[in-house]
Each structure stands twice: as structure tokens, then as C-alpha cells.
Amino acid sequence: MREPLLASPIDPFAAAIYLLGGKWTLRVAAVLLAGPLRFTDIRSALPGLSANALTKRLRFLESACVVQVEWQGGIPLYGLSAWGSELSTPIFAIKDWSRSKARPRDVSSSSEDELNDA
């Protein structure tokens, strides 16, 4: 088995930011906290995420040992690895923080660039 990305000799915090900072990464991981899912189920849970972007994100997370693929009846199921499951604590902390601190705002009038810069 490959070593997780954070096992590299670089600064662990910088490696974590590199791993988790990608667009959709934490949202994909949050969906997978419920257990292994088919590609279409993950995509359905994340409106706005294209099939191409989800494929790239899952491949990246698999290469980083965060996601693992299991095959059932010829159908791939994507789930968090044991190491990836440890993301539950920071994901729930971010969800709690966002509920208590973040103010809802109308994002329909914001451009995607403005949201990405925020």
C-alpha cells in the first residue's frame, strides 16, 4: 500500500493544505463520510460538479490514499480509506463553524471568481 501524501518529508501543514485545498475536495470527502457510493450518487449529492471534475478529484484523492475504490458486481464504489475517514473531525468542525459563524448571503449574483477569491 502506498503511503498517504502527508507522509512526505515536506511541512505537514502545507501538505494538508495542498491535499484539502482543491476545489470540491472537502465536499467530496464529506459526501463519502456516509460510506462508499457510486460515481452517480456522489455527483447527485454535489450539484454543480461536472463529471469530468469529479473524475479528476476522485483520482487525485485515490492517489493521495484518501479514497479507495471497491468493485461490487462490476460497479466501482468510492469510499474513504481508513486514513481518509480521519477527515471526519475537521469536516464536522468546519460544518459546525460555518453554521455558527458564517452569514448566509446571496451567491446567485456573485461571479464564480468572486466566490473562489473569498
Side-chain angles (χ1 to χ4, degrees):
M1 183 171 141
R2 295 184 311 258
E3 286 192 23
L5 179 66
L6 295 182
S8 65
I10 63 174
D11 173 32
F13 182 72
I17 296 301
Y18 171 76
L19 175 64
L20 302 174
K23 188 173 182 179
W24 296 102
T25 299
L26 285 175
R27 292 185 66 193
V28 168
V31 167
L32 293 176
L33 285 173
L37 295 169
R38 296 177 308 167
F39 182 91
T40 55
D41 295 330
I42 300 167
R43 189 157 176 235
S44 295
L46 297 168
L49 177 59
S50 71
N52 188 40
L54 178 56
T55 298
K56 288 179 183 179
R57 190 62 18 208
L58 288 170
R59 285 181 183 158
F60 173 76
L61 292 171
E62 184 180 6
S63 73
C65 301
V66 173
V67 166
Q68 60 189 20
V69 182
E70 300 173 20
W71 291 85
Q72 284 189 351
I75 298 171
L77 295 177
Y78 299 89
L80 293 174
S81 66
W83 189 69
S85 294
E86 292 179 21
L87 288 171
S88 64
T89 300
I91 288 171
F92 287 126
I94 291 168
K95 284 184 175 186
D96 290 344
W97 175 83
S98 68
R99 287 185 195 113
S100 67
K101 304 293 183 206
R103 293 182 303 155
R105 70 178 212 185
D106 180 14
V107 294
S108 62
S109 62
S110 302
S111 73
E112 187 171 326
D113 290 336
E114 289 173 336
L115 294 175
N116 290 334
D117 292 339

